[in-house]
Every structure is written in structure tokens, then in C-alpha cells.
Amino acid sequence: SIILFLAAILWTFAQFGYLVLQQNPGFRSLSSALSTMLSAALGDFDFYGWIEANRILAPVLFVFLNIVVLFVLLSVFVAVLNISVSSIRHALVEDSNDFEVLDYMSRRIRLWQ
């Protein structure tokens, strides 16, 4: 579901970039705009080329793209942390032996005698 969400966001930004930055070679077609947006989300972009195409909307597009990608990646990170914490809590509830070390030591002492 998060992949579909990210794909929809990148598609939206690619369409906006196609409409606004058509003078840039990376935005000549919709497919190249989508490729350029994916590359920009991964950190490979020509910011000054974008600025030459449109001085006002290119920085806005760039900032919003980075903010949205940052929030999506943060939500994925928080989801992974939430899953791991819940699995650890579930394991602790199942194996709730508070005196495990003491039981082990008492058995070893009994066997040793």
C-alpha cells in the first residue's frame, strides 16, 4: 500500500513537472518526467537546470518533493519500528519467566550436589 501511495505521489509530481518545466530535457515527455522525479527522489537531480526552466515553480516543486519523500520514508521507518516493538512485546508476554536465571542456577546447583 505504501508503494502505491509513493507511486501516486511521484506520478503527481511528474505531471506537475511536465506541465511547468517542459523546457528542461528531463521533462520533455511524461515518461521522462516520471524518470526525472524518481531520480530526484533518490537524490540525483539537476537543480540549476530546473531553475533555468522556471525560476519560481522549480524550487517549489523541488522543496515539496523532498518534504513529501521525507515524510513517506519516515512513516515507513516508524511502521517498521512499530512492528518490531510489537513482536518483541508479544514474545516477552509469551516467555514471561521472571526467575529464569535463578531457576537455571538452582537446577545446576542441585545437579552438582
Side-chain angles (χ1 to χ4, degrees), residues 45-81:
F45 52 88
D46 180 23
F47 183 69
Y48 293 111
W50 292 16
I51 296 260
E52 289 175 6
N54 192 329
R55 290 194 180 274
I56 297 170
L57 292 177
V60 172
L61 176 69
F62 178 75
V63 168
F64 280 127
L65 175 69
N66 284 329
I67 288 172
V68 167
V69 168
L70 175 71
F71 279 120
V72 168
L73 291 177
L74 281 175
S75 68
V76 168
F77 180 68
V78 168
V80 168
L81 283 179

Side-chain angles (χ1 to χ4, degrees), residues 79-99:
V80 168
L81 283 179
N82 189 19
I83 290 170
S84 63
V85 166
S86 66
S87 68
I88 289 172
R89 282 186 181 166
H90 182 68
L92 286 177
V93 167
E94 287 180 355
D95 301 331
S96 64
N97 187 359
D98 295 334
F99 304 107

Side-chain angles (χ1 to χ4, degrees), residues 1 6-7 12 14 18-19 23 28 30-32 34 41 49 55 63-64 66-67 74 76 81 86 94:
S1 67
L6 186 60
T12 305
Y18 175 70
L19 291 174
Q23 293 84 13
R28 296 270 184 207
L30 197 54
S31 62
S32 65
L34 185 62
R55 290 194 180 274
V63 168
F64 280 127
N66 284 329
I67 288 172
L74 281 175
V76 168
L81 283 179
S86 66
E94 287 180 355

